[in-house]
Amino acid sequence: QLVQSGAEVRKPGASVKVSCKASGYIFANYGISWVRQAPGQGLEWMGWISAYTGNTDYAQKFQGRVILTTDTSTSTASMELRSLRSDDTAVYYCARSITARYFYMDVWGNGTSFTVSS
Amino acid sequence: EIVLTQSPGTLSLSPGERATLSCRASQSVRSNYLAWYQQKPGQAPRLLIYGASNRATGIPDRFSGSGSGTDFTLTISRLEPEDFAVYYCQQYDSSLWTFGQGTKVEI
């Protein structure tokens, strides 16, 4: 399973870091994607990181503003989002990602809600 | 970037009826890279189908996926009360993942 850190509130221009702790599988054998969902909206992919190599792919929209990292010693993935704006208010999910013969997200975290407000 | 367009936006059906959800891609998608998810209010998405037609572990056989190229379909053969939710398709191409905008299946 994937357990995420708790809800956050930030002011515009600030940064936030969300963690995602994995258990029940070999963390380094999979990647982790980050997906967000604004209130009442659909799912939006932000980026992916290989837990083994640390290689990353980012959606162009978030390039330069999001940093994905992993710590294999604690089986934890993290997502840092900088220069927050009000439209970053959303629920953020981490998801275990299969990236071999098939590409899909099979285990999802519980979600972290963060609000950006002055 | 491949854009996925789902239709209809909302599907109003009754328990026991058949639901047919469409996902159309702006360019051809490799079937192995197409998945479907179900999301209920206040919950994280749940994987239903991967590789366009393979049911994920524990998914009932009333859910089926089909299609290739630019046109994919999720079919729920007989709707159960717990199937009323929002459904998303997702694809992967050239290091980018994208989701469709979702189809809401409502009573």
Side-chain angles (χ1 to χ4, degrees), chain B residues 79-99:
Chain B
L79 282 164
E80 297 287 342
E82 62 267 28
D83 299 336
F84 291 91
V86 180
Y87 294 82
Y88 296 94
C89 56
Q90 163 258 303
Q91 71 82 38
Y92 170 89
D93 177 71
S94 302
S95 301
L96 297 176
W97 304 62
T98 54
F99 290 92

Side-chain angles (χ1 to χ4, degrees), chain A residues 10-48:
Chain A
R10 292 287 187 275
K11 294 187 183 303
S15 299
V16 68
K17 191 170 187 177
V18 178
S19 66
C20 169
K21 185 170 176 59
S23 63
Y25 72 94
I26 300 173
F27 183 67
N29 285 0
Y30 297 83
I32 294 285
S33 289
W34 289 85
V35 176
R36 77 178 187 180
Q37 187 169 38
Q41 303 301 308
L43 302 174
E44 181 176 32
W45 177 75
M46 301 176 67
W48 167 90

Side-chain angles (χ1 to χ4, degrees), chain B residues 12-47:
Chain B
S12 298
L13 296 168
S14 300
E17 290 192 296
R18 181 185 188 90
T20 302
L21 287 66
S22 172
C23 175
R24 181 161 292 177
S26 59
Q27 303 171 46
S28 185
V29 173
R30 296 170 77 169
S31 295
N32 282 9
Y33 298 174
L34 193 287
W36 290 91
Y37 302 84
Q38 176 194 66
Q39 187 180 34
K40 297 179 181 179
Q43 296 185 17
R46 176 174 73 143
L47 175 70

Side-chain angles (χ1 to χ4, degrees), chain B residues 49-91:
Chain B
I49 301 286
Y50 66 93
S53 60
N54 302 284
R55 273 188 300 278
T57 303
I59 301 304
D61 60 8
R62 64 180 181 273
F63 291 92
S64 63
S66 63
S68 63
T70 59
D71 290 296
F72 297 88
T73 300
L74 175 70
T75 301
I76 311 171
S77 59
R78 289 177 59 84
L79 282 164
E80 297 287 342
E82 62 267 28
D83 299 336
F84 291 91
V86 180
Y87 294 82
Y88 296 94
C89 56
Q90 163 258 303
Q91 71 82 38

